[in-house]
Amino acid sequence: MENCHRESEHEPLAELARVNMPEEDEIVRVCAELKAISEPSRLKILLALRQGELCVYHIVQAVGGTQSAVSHQLRILRDNRIVKARRDGQNIVYSLADAHVVAVLELACAHVKCEV
């Protein structure tokens, strides 16, 4: 491999990157969460839940699709700790897991300049 002509400048940065690199299991978890968010129907669900907690029936109204398809996507989001659920009588209501999810959505939409 050829040496970089900016070796003295890049060496400390490369070392800093290596020292601050998250553990492999953390990298895998981040990738799984980003993969879960990146599917269009799941992203629509997350954008709907930015308005507040909703039951499956109202999520279907907001994003379209079928109840079974939305429920399937919610399970994936829940398994990845992106949404949380709680029982309200006979209904299960869903909400975003925490403010970090909102921040990721806002940053991603700002990056492509869409409105959220």
Side-chain angles (χ1 to χ4, degrees), residues 2 22 45 49-50 55 69 74 76-77 85 89 92-93 103 112 114-115:
E2 193 176 312
I45 291 168
L49 290 174
R50 274 196 75 238
C55 66
L74 283 165
I76 292 169
L77 291 168
I92 304 292
V93 291
V112 296
C114 67
E115 292 291 322

Side-chain angles (χ1 to χ4, degrees), residues 66-114:
T66 64
Q67 182 176 347
S68 64
V70 168
S71 293
H72 173 72
Q73 302 302 346
L74 283 165
R75 183 184 53 78
I76 292 169
L77 291 168
R78 193 171 172 191
D79 289 349
N80 283 283
R81 299 175 301 149
I82 297 167
V83 300
K84 58 186 177 181
R86 69 174 182 83
R87 182 166 292 285
D88 183 21
Q90 291 186 325
N91 292 315
I92 304 292
V93 291
Y94 293 87
S95 60
L96 299 176
D98 57 41
H100 297 109
V101 175
V102 174
V104 168
L105 293 173
E106 288 174 348
L107 285 171
C109 286
H111 181 68
V112 296
K113 296 178 176 83
C114 67

Side-chain angles (χ1 to χ4, degrees), residues 12 22 26-27 31 34 43 45 58 67 75 79 90 110 116:
E26 292 172 313
I27 296 286
C31 288
L34 290 173
L43 181 57
I45 291 168
H58 289 107
Q67 182 176 347
R75 183 184 53 78
D79 289 349
Q90 291 186 325
V116 249

Side-chain angles (χ1 to χ4, degrees), residues 5-71:
H5 66 279
R6 293 184 168 201
E7 188 173 335
S8 63
E9 186 180 332
H10 291 171
E11 275 302 316
L13 296 175
E15 180 60 18
L16 188 60
R18 186 190 66 74
V19 169
N20 290 310
M21 190 65 60
E23 295 294 323
E24 193 63 28
D25 65 324
E26 292 172 313
I27 296 286
V28 169
R29 284 193 349 247
V30 169
C31 288
E33 289 183 17
L34 290 173
K35 183 178 177 182
I37 290 172
S38 70
E39 197 281 327
S41 61
R42 292 192 286 266
L43 181 57
K44 285 181 179 180
I45 291 168
L46 296 174
L47 293 171
L49 290 174
R50 274 196 75 238
Q51 308 310 310
E53 64 180 15
L54 295 167
C55 66
V56 174
Y57 176 82
H58 289 107
I59 295 171
V60 170
Q61 278 188 326
V63 303
T66 64
Q67 182 176 347
S68 64
V70 168
S71 293

